[in-house]
Amino acid sequence: MNVLWIFAHPESRSFGGSLRDEGVRALREQGAEVRESDLYAMKWNPVVDADDFGSAAGSDRLFVGPTSKTALLTGELSADIRAEHEKLAWADTVIVQFPLWWYGMPAILKGWFDRVFVKGFAYGVQRPDGRTARYGEGALAGKRAMVVLTTGTSQAAIGPRGINGEVSEILFPLQHGALWYTGMSVLPPLTICGADRASAEQYDVAAEALRERLRTLSTQDPIPFRHQNGGDYDDNLVLRDDLAPGRRGMGVHLDV
Amino acid sequence: MNVLWIFAHPESRSFGGSLRDEGVRALREQGAEVRESDLYAMKWNPVVDADDFGSAAGSDRLFVGPTSKTALLTGELSADIRAEHEKLAWADTVIVQFPLWWYGMPAILKGWFDRVFVKGFAYGVQRPDGRTARYGEGALAGKRAMVVLTTGTSQAAIGPRGINGEVSEILFPLQHGALWYTGMSVLPPLTICGADRASAEQYDVAAEALRERLRTLSTQDPIPFRHQNGGDYDDNLVLRDDLAPGRRGMGVHLDV
C-alpha cells in the first residue's frame, strides 16, 4: 500500500499532530509505504494565481480553467503543483487530515485542492463517448481516500439534528465534490470531537480508533456515492425522478 | 448604508470582477458608502499561524483559539486582521463575492474567515446567562450579509436534485456556519451560472439581477435560520424532537 498523508495544522505538537505521527507509524508497521504532504511544514502556497501557469498565463484576461490545462499539457505548471501530482500518481490511498475550521478545511488545505486539482487533470476530462469523466471516474479512479477530522464541537452538535449540521453534509463538498469527483473511493471519515480539550485517556481512545481504521483501509466499504455516468442522472445531471423519489438534498446522491 | 464588499478572484477583468465594479458603482449611486476588501489585490495572507498573535503565541504548543483571544484582548493581533475588524465594525452590510471552486470558497477567502474570525470576537463569546452567543447572536448581530456567487456549473446541476448538491447546502457552512454564527442576518444568495462562458447579453442580465438585489438589500427577508438560544435546541444543541419531526439534514435548521 502506498499512502499519501496530507496534513494541515499549524502546530505539530497538537492533538492532530500526534495523531498524524501515530497514523504514519502504524501504517509503516503494517508494511505500507508512506509519503507526506505536511502543508504547514512545506509552507504550501494556497493561492491560485497567474504564477501557477508559467508562460501559459500570458498578460490577457486570466481564465483559470483553460490556462491551467494549457500549463498542465506544456509542463509549465508550478513545480510545487507538479510535485503533488507525482505523489498522487504514486499513491493508491490518500489520507486528508485537518481540524475543522468554520465548518470547512483550513485555507492552506483548501488551496491544495484549488491549486493541485487543475483542469485536464482533475476536471474537464472527456471520455471517448463525449461525457465528462467525473464523480466516480477520472484521474484518481482506483484510489481510496479517507478524511481524518478533529473538531472542538461535540458529537451531538454535528449529529443528524445538531445545530452545526451533520458532519457527512459538512464534508460533502470535499468528499463528494473533490475526492469522488476525481474518481476516488471515499471511506467514511474518522471524526474526533473535543480535540483541544482531550485528556491523555481520550487521546488513547482516538489513537486506537485511528489505528483500527488504518488496519482496514483496503477492505472497508466506501461511501456509496452515485456514479455520474452510471445511469442515475439525466443529461442535465439531475437525479432521475424514480430514484429517491420526492426527496432533495445531499442524501439523494447516496445509492442506498 | 455602509457596505463592506469582500471579493476573491485572481482576475479583476473577469466576469466576477466586472460584476463587482458594477455592484460598487450601483451602491454608490444609491447613496451608500462602500469599502472593499479585494483579497487578491490586497495580497491577503490566508494562512493562520503563530505570527498572527504577536507575543501571545509564545513558544509552547500553539492552541489557536485561546491564543487568538489573548492577542485580541491585548491588541497584538496582526495589523491586517485588525484592519478587517475595523471595517466590519464600520459596516452594516457585508457582501461576500467569489467564484465557486471545488464547491467552496477560494482559499484566499476561506483564510479571511480563518484569520479574521478569532476567538473572543467571532466565537467563544459568553452571554450573561452563560450560554454562548452564536447563531443569530454575536459580534456581528444587526448586520446583513449576502453571498454573490459565480460558477461554471449549470443551474440544474446545483439544483435540488442536481449532482453537485443544492447551492443552499453547498453554502451552508459559510452562510449558516460563519455569517449566521456570528449574528448576521443572511439574505438569499445571488448565484450566477456559466460565468466564464457568458455572452455580453448574459452579463447584462446578471448585472441587472445584481442591481435589483442591491436595491432591496435593506428590505429583503433574510434566510430564516433558527436561533441557537431561541428555544429550538436542547442543551446539547440538538433540534427539539417536535420541530421538523423525523427529519434530518441542513434543512431542519430553517424555521419554515
Side-chain angles (χ1 to χ4, degrees), chain B residues 22-239:
Chain B
E22 182 69 33
V24 169
R25 184 166 49 236
L27 284 169
R28 289 188 172 134
E29 286 173 5
Q30 291 174 221
E33 299 284 323
V34 184
R35 293 172 68 184
E36 297 186 57
S37 289
D38 181 337
L39 301 183
Y40 271 91
M42 294 158 69
K43 299 188 189 301
W44 176 258
N45 164 25
V47 179
V48 171
D49 64 19
D51 292 343
D52 286 358
F53 310 128
S55 72
S59 58
D60 292 340
R61 172 180 165 186
L62 175 68
F63 290 89
V64 169
T67 306
S68 71
K69 183 173 179 179
T70 301
L72 172 73
L73 296 174
T74 60
E76 287 187 283
L77 281 176
S78 178
D80 57 351
I81 298 174
R82 286 186 281 120
E84 298 306 300
H85 286 179
E86 188 270 323
K87 289 180 188 172
L88 282 168
W90 167 85
D92 51 51
T93 307
V94 178
I95 307 291
V96 184
Q97 186 196 346
F98 59 99
L100 190 66
W101 286 358
W102 294 105
Y103 307 103
M105 292 178 272
I108 201 170
L109 178 57
K110 178 55 169 55
W112 187 89
F113 288 96
D114 288 348
R115 293 186 65 231
V116 173
F117 276 24
V118 297
K119 184 165 186 172
F121 170 72
Y123 69 104
V125 180
Q126 303 301 315
R127 309 196 319 170
D129 67 359
R131 297 197 78 156
T132 303
R134 65 182 163 203
Y135 290 122
E137 299 173 289
L140 304 180
K143 303 180 194 293
R144 303 188 139 225
M146 184 173 85
V147 170
V148 175
L149 187 69
T150 51
T151 170
T153 185
S154 71
Q155 201 82 51
I158 53 166
R161 290 165 59 86
I163 194 168
N164 299 317
E166 194 166 2
V167 67
S168 63
E169 301 198 339
I170 294 168
L171 293 176
F172 187 84
L174 168 59
Q175 295 192 142
H176 180 267
L179 301 173
W180 176 241
Y181 187 106
T182 51
M184 306 183 82
S185 297
V186 186
L187 303 180
L190 175 64
T191 303
I192 295 163
C193 295
D196 272 354
R197 293 182 297 276
S199 65
E201 290 71 27
Q202 288 169 316
Y203 175 78
D204 290 342
V205 170
E208 177 49 31
L210 176 61
R211 285 191 298 266
E212 174 58 24
R213 291 298 307 275
L214 296 177
R215 275 192 289 269
T216 56
L217 268 183
S218 58
T219 55
Q220 191 163 21
D221 286 338
I223 300 171
F225 291 129
R226 296 180 189 276
H227 290 254
Q228 170 175 300
N229 297 319
D232 289 354
Y233 296 92
D234 68 19
D235 289 345
N236 294 318
L237 303 180
V238 173
L239 190 64

Side-chain angles (χ1 to χ4, degrees), chain A residues 11 40 48 62 166 248, chain B residues 11 40 48 62 166 240 248:
Chain A
E11 175 55 88
Y40 271 90
V48 171
L62 175 67
E166 193 166 2
R248 63 194 288 175
Chain B
E11 175 56 87
Y40 271 91
V48 171
L62 175 68
E166 194 166 2
R240 279 172 24 207
R248 64 193 289 176

Side-chain angles (χ1 to χ4, degrees), chain A residues 176-254:
Chain A
H176 180 267
L179 301 173
W180 176 242
Y181 188 106
T182 51
M184 305 184 80
S185 297
V186 186
L187 303 180
L190 175 63
T191 303
I192 295 164
C193 294
D196 273 353
R197 293 181 299 276
S199 65
E201 291 71 27
Q202 288 169 316
Y203 176 78
D204 290 342
V205 170
E208 177 50 32
L210 176 61
R211 286 191 298 266
E212 175 59 23
R213 291 298 307 277
L214 298 177
R215 275 192 289 270
T216 56
L217 268 183
S218 58
T219 55
Q220 191 164 20
D221 286 337
I223 300 170
F225 291 128
R226 297 180 187 276
H227 290 253
Q228 170 175 300
N229 298 320
D232 290 354
Y233 296 93
D234 67 19
D235 288 344
N236 294 317
L237 303 180
V238 173
L239 190 64
R240 277 172 26 208
D241 287 345
D242 58 315
L243 299 172
R247 290 173 49 213
R248 63 194 288 175
M250 292 166 169
V252 305
H253 303 292
L254 295 173

